[in-house]
Amino acid sequence: MKVIFLDVDGVLNDQNLIFEKFKTKEIEISKDKLLLLKEIITSNDDTKVVLSSSWRIGLLRKDGKIVADTTYHKEFLELLKEYDIEIYDITPSMMSRTEEIRYYLDNNKNIDGYVILDDEELNDDNQVKTDFFNGGLTEEHVPIAIDILKRKKR
């Protein structure tokens, strides 16, 4: 199985979108960025999305599925579903995102490749670092993420 560890803020949105959506009260997710994410997901068979973002707070695992605990998170999952994107799992809440991802990898031995999409520097060779202030996930990130996802897990 391949895994995309997904942050939301700074990946699926940026500062401009947040400001724009704040005025309209819409969910702060770029549909263009969802299309880019979908391209990364479909580049490999059996690719799953694991939410490593603070957006995971408000989500929980129930009967083998990730479900929303709030209206806002329900809107988030519904928007992802419109693009045929499903959250497979969420990382645990620990001290740092790096520790959470490492813990997840150590405890899920069926992962044979992964990429991290995050705007926070995590010091991981499998990270594609996006930029909250400069567009979040961009077309330039997609082939890099696909190449990383094809690597074997170390």
Side-chain angles (χ1 to χ4, degrees):
M1 171 174 71
K2 307 281 187 185
V3 169
I4 298 170
F5 289 100
L6 178 66
D7 181 27
V8 174
D9 292 326
V11 177
L12 297 181
N13 62 28
D14 61 23
Q15 71 173 354
N16 295 327
L17 184 75
I18 296 253
F19 182 70
E20 175 187 317
K21 297 289 185 177
F22 179 77
K23 292 186 274 184
T24 63
K25 306 288 189 228
E26 294 176 72
I27 195 160
E28 300 99 350
I29 302 292
S30 164
K31 294 177 181 178
D32 291 339
K33 299 198 184 316
L34 287 174
L35 290 171
L36 296 174
L37 175 61
K38 183 68 178 175
E39 188 176 340
I40 298 167
I41 294 168
T42 58
S43 70
N44 286 284
D45 292 337
D46 199 27
T47 299
K48 308 290 185 196
V49 176
V50 174
L51 198 63
S52 54
S53 170
S54 60
W55 283 54
R56 72 186 183 279
I57 300 164
L59 298 176
L60 51 98
R61 181 169 278 290
K62 184 177 180 182
D63 299 326
K65 293 275 190 190
I66 297 299
V67 296
D69 202 28
T70 68
T71 301
Y72 192 78
H73 287 86
K74 285 178 187 168
E75 288 178 34
F76 173 58
L77 293 180
E78 286 171 11
L79 181 59
L80 293 177
K81 190 175 183 178
E82 286 177 32
Y83 290 81
D84 200 28
I85 297 171
E86 179 182 352
I87 301 297
Y88 172 76
D89 206 354
I90 54 178
T91 55
S93 294
M94 301 173 82
M95 294 296 287
S96 74
R97 194 163 295 165
T98 302
E99 290 174 331
E100 293 163 356
I101 290 170
R102 182 60 40 212
Y103 180 88
Y104 193 91
L105 289 167
D106 289 346
N107 288 280
N108 291 275
K109 301 298 182 190
N110 59 334
I111 297 171
D112 60 9
Y114 71 98
V115 65
I116 303 168
L117 303 178
D118 204 309
D119 66 327
E120 180 183 327
E121 181 58 60
L122 301 179
N123 296 313
D124 189 303
D125 291 340
N126 284 37
Q127 179 182 7
V128 174
K129 188 174 182 313
T130 60
D131 189 337
F132 178 74
F133 299 103
N134 290 302
L137 184 64
T138 65
E139 289 182 14
E140 291 77 26
H141 294 125
V142 172
I144 299 166
I146 290 170
D147 285 345
I148 291 171
L149 201 53
K150 290 180 181 177
R151 292 184 200 157
K152 292 289 180 194
K153 181 177 135 188
R154 296 177 208 170

